[in-house]
Structure formats: C-alpha cells, structure tokens
C-alpha cells in the first residue's frame, strides 16, 4: 500500500525522463553509434544552457517577489486604454501555471472584466520575461524583441475580435 | 519583506524549477536523439515549401504539442539551427505557447465553452499571421 502511494507521488515529468532513459538504454543495445552521437549532442546542449538557467532562476525569484495576483488585481481597476496596458503588463509579468490564475480571472470576469481583456491577458502570458535569456540564446535578441512586439499587438487585436464575437458591449 | 518570506520565495522558485528538471532533461535527451535519428531532409519536407503551408504546419504541430515554453524554445532553436525555416519555427513557437489543449477543460469550466473555443481558434490563426509578419520583417517572403 505504502509503495503504491509512493508511486502516486512521482510526477509525470519523472516518468517522462525514465521512459526517455529507457529508450536510450534500448538504443545502446541495438545502435551504439546513434546512442553516443545523441549523447554527445545532449552534452553540447546542456553545457550551453546551464548558465542561462541560472539567470532564469534569478529572474523567476524577482518576478515571484514583486508580482502577485493582488498586485495585478489592483492595477486591473484602471480605465480606458490604461486598462489594456495593465492587462498586457499583467499577462507578461504573471508567473506560474495558468490554473493558478483562473480563480483571479473568474473573479475579474464576475466584476465586469470583458472577455477581450481576458483574452489579452492570457495571450500575453506567452511572453515570459524570466525565460527571455534562453529564448534570446536560441533566436537572438532582435528576433525575440520583434516577435514580442508583434504578439502584444496581436493580443489587442484578438481581444477586440473576441469582444465583438462574444457580443460584449460593456464600456471598458 | 522579511528575510523569512524571501527565503520562502527562493525555496518555492527552486522547487518549481526542480519540478521542471526531469521534463527539461528528458526533452533535451529526446531532441538530441530525434535530431540525430531523423535526417535533415525530413524537416524540410514538413516545414518547407510554400510559406502558407509551412506556417500552417508549424502552427498545427505547435498547437497539439504539450509542454513548457522552455521545451518549445529548445525544440524550435535546434530545428532552426538544423536549417528549418524561420516562418515555420515562429508559427510552431507561438502556437505552442498560446494554444492550451491540456488546459481546455479548466478554461471551459471557468470561462465558458464559446469563449474558450473562439480564443483558441483565433490564437491558431494568429500564430500563422504572426509567422507571416515575421517572414515579411526578416525578408523571407
């Protein structure tokens, strides 16, 4: 029984890693050259991204320190264009898994936040400041900067379309 | 903020990164294997061709993929390094981070079925549009 509970506690992420390692062991038996070339490539990637992950950790600590749902909620009370601005900023700065933010979004929806603004918030969550170092490492700062701006612009367009489609005529 | 609170934030951040650790490690292992196993020409057949088709393919694969943004950066970055076109990789990246297949049930429950479907469909179309805009900006179209 105890062993069964212990297995339940192991997250799916660990199962994923274990399965991947088993695949590698299988390849080691049947195709050694592929095993070693893949492992070499893996080492190259790991060595490249370790320093970036240290930076990611520091940025995550900083955002967790400064940005809380309370902080976001306070600024969502702004009006007009300012509200869009804070929704974009809130989406970008919000951290953690999305389900942590659903209660807040439900609360805000009940308080009159339009579907368009919710769309804008959710879309901008895709832009993660703490993960920017690793994104810049792979794609370059110019590409990431342009992509982020295009995504922010598109998030507003999407918000407007959703507002129309959801037939929301509440004053923003 | 008291020191105790700061320590707690550092601990919780470390804990959330630790939770991702096996996923990131597993992803890098798989990416390494797939890149060595599948010939370069394969990616070209999927992601190359007309920019509309390649952006659609990138968006489709990105939207059905599940994982953290870091995973998409690693896969997208390595694909790009192997010569896959930027338009397809952009569509793939944007769709990966903006379309949430796995959280659909929770989103439907809290924000409603109509909103959730509309939002995800519009996000899918947007990922193609964004990829095309990037293509235009970087003179790929």
């Amino acid at each position: 029984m105890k062993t069964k509970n212990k297995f339940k506690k192991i997250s799916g992420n660990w199962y994923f890693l274990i399965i991947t390692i088993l695949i590698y062991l299988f390849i080691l038996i049947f195709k050694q050259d592929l095993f070693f070339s893949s492992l070499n490539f893996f080492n190259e990637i790991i060595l490249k991204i370790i320093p970036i992950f240290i930076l990611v950790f520091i940025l995550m600590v900083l955002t967790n320190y400064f940005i809380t749902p309370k902080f976001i909620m306070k600024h969502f009370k702004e009006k007009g264009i300012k509200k869009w601005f804070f929704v974009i900023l809130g989406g970008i700065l919000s951290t953690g898994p999305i389900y942590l933010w659903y209660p807040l979004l439900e609360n805000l929806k009940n308080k009159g936040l339009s579907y368009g603004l919710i769309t804008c918030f959710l879309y901008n969550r895709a832009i993660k400041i703490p993960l920017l170092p690793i994104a810049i490492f792979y794609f370059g700062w110019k590409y990431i900067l342009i992509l982020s701006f295009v995504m922010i612009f598109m998030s507003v367009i999407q918000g407007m379309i959703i507002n129309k489609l959801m037939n929301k005529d509440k004053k923003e | 903020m008291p020191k105790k609170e700061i320590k707690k934030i550092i601990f919780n951040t470390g804990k959330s990164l630790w939770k991702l650790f096996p996923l990131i490690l597993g992803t890098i292992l798989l990416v390494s294997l797939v890149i060595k196993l599948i010939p370069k020409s394969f990616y070209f057949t999927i992601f190359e061709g007309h920019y509309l088709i390649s952006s659609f393919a990138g968006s489709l694969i990105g939207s059905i993929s599940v994982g953290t943004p870091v995973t998409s950066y690693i896969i997208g970055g390595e694909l790009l390094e192997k010569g896959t076109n930027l338009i397809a990789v952009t569509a793939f990246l944007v769709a990966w981070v903006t379309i949430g297949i796995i959280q659909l049930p929770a989103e439907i429950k809290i924000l409603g079925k109509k909103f959730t479907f509309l939002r995800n469909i519009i996000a899918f179309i947007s990922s193609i549009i964004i990829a095309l805009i990037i293509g235009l900006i970087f003179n790929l179209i």
Side-chain angles (χ1 to χ4, degrees), chain A residues 13-51:
Chain A
N13 291 351
W14 284 102
Y15 282 119
F16 172 68
L17 178 62
I18 292 165
I19 291 167
T20 314
I21 292 169
L22 287 175
I23 294 171
Y24 264 74
L25 289 176
F26 184 78
I27 291 166
L28 175 66
I29 298 166
F30 295 102
K31 231 174 174 227
Q32 285 188 359
D33 53 335
L34 176 64
F35 173 85
F36 286 112
S37 64
S38 303
L39 213 58
N40 277 339
F41 197 71
F42 167 79
N43 283 338
E44 276 174 34
I45 299 179
I46 288 288
L47 287 176
K48 276 193 285 184
I49 64 171
I50 282 175

Side-chain angles (χ1 to χ4, degrees), chain B residues 41-119:
Chain B
S41 55
F42 177 79
Y43 299 111
F44 286 103
T45 47
I46 289 188
F47 287 130
E48 290 299 311
H50 194 273
Y51 52 83
L52 276 176
I53 295 166
S54 66
S55 59
F56 182 82
S59 191
L60 193 69
I61 294 170
S63 57
I64 57 168
S65 307
V66 177
T68 62
V70 180
T71 314
S72 70
Y73 299 155
I74 295 168
I75 298 173
E78 296 303 328
L79 281 176
L80 201 64
E81 219 164 82
K82 293 285 151 198
T84 308
N85 93 43
L86 188 66
I87 296 173
V89 171
T90 302
F92 169 80
L93 279 181
V94 177
W96 182 301
V97 291
T98 57
I99 299 165
I101 299 282
I102 204 158
Q103 58 256 22
L104 275 184
E107 196 177 328
I108 288 170
K109 206 175 170 200
I110 290 166
L111 299 168
K113 200 186 273 180
K114 187 183 174 188
F115 168 77
T116 304
F117 282 117
L118 278 176
R119 192 186 78 78

Side-chain angles (χ1 to χ4, degrees), chain A residues 42-171:
Chain A
F42 167 79
N43 283 338
E44 276 174 34
I45 299 179
I46 288 288
L47 287 176
K48 276 193 285 184
I49 64 171
I50 282 175
I52 294 152
F53 265 101
I54 296 168
L55 190 59
V56 167
F57 176 76
I58 295 166
L59 286 172
M60 276 176 82
V61 170
L62 288 175
T63 41
N64 286 339
Y65 181 88
F66 289 110
I67 315 299
T68 59
K70 258 188 191 172
F71 174 88
I72 302 273
M73 190 123 171
K74 192 181 144 197
H75 288 91
F76 275 13
K77 285 173 187 159
E78 300 285 346
K79 287 185 177 155
I81 294 174
K82 256 188 171 180
K83 194 183 245 182
W84 283 91
F85 175 75
F86 280 109
V87 166
I88 291 168
L89 205 65
I92 294 172
L93 295 177
S94 65
T95 54
I98 184 62
Y99 49 81
L100 286 180
W101 293 86
Y102 280 144
L104 169 79
L105 290 177
E106 190 181 28
N107 191 344
L108 290 171
K109 191 187 82 178
N110 295 336
K111 284 182 180 167
L113 189 77
S114 72
Y115 280 105
L117 287 168
I118 293 174
T119 304
C120 191
F121 176 85
L122 289 173
Y123 205 78
N124 281 294
R125 274 183 49 84
I127 302 165
K128 302 250 180 249
I129 290 177
L131 299 181
L132 282 183
I134 193 157
I136 290 169
F137 168 76
Y138 272 115
F139 305 101
W141 66 268
K142 191 183 168 192
Y143 169 82
I144 292 299
L145 194 71
I146 292 171
L147 180 65
S148 302
F149 276 116
V150 175
M151 283 178 76
I152 291 168
F153 173 74
M154 286 302 289
S155 74
V156 177
I157 304 282
Q158 284 182 54
M160 287 171 173
I161 295 170
I162 287 281
N163 265 349
K164 279 232 166 192
L165 293 173
M166 294 299 289
N167 221 4
K168 272 267 177 189
D169 46 11
K170 276 184 186 174
K171 280 183 184 173

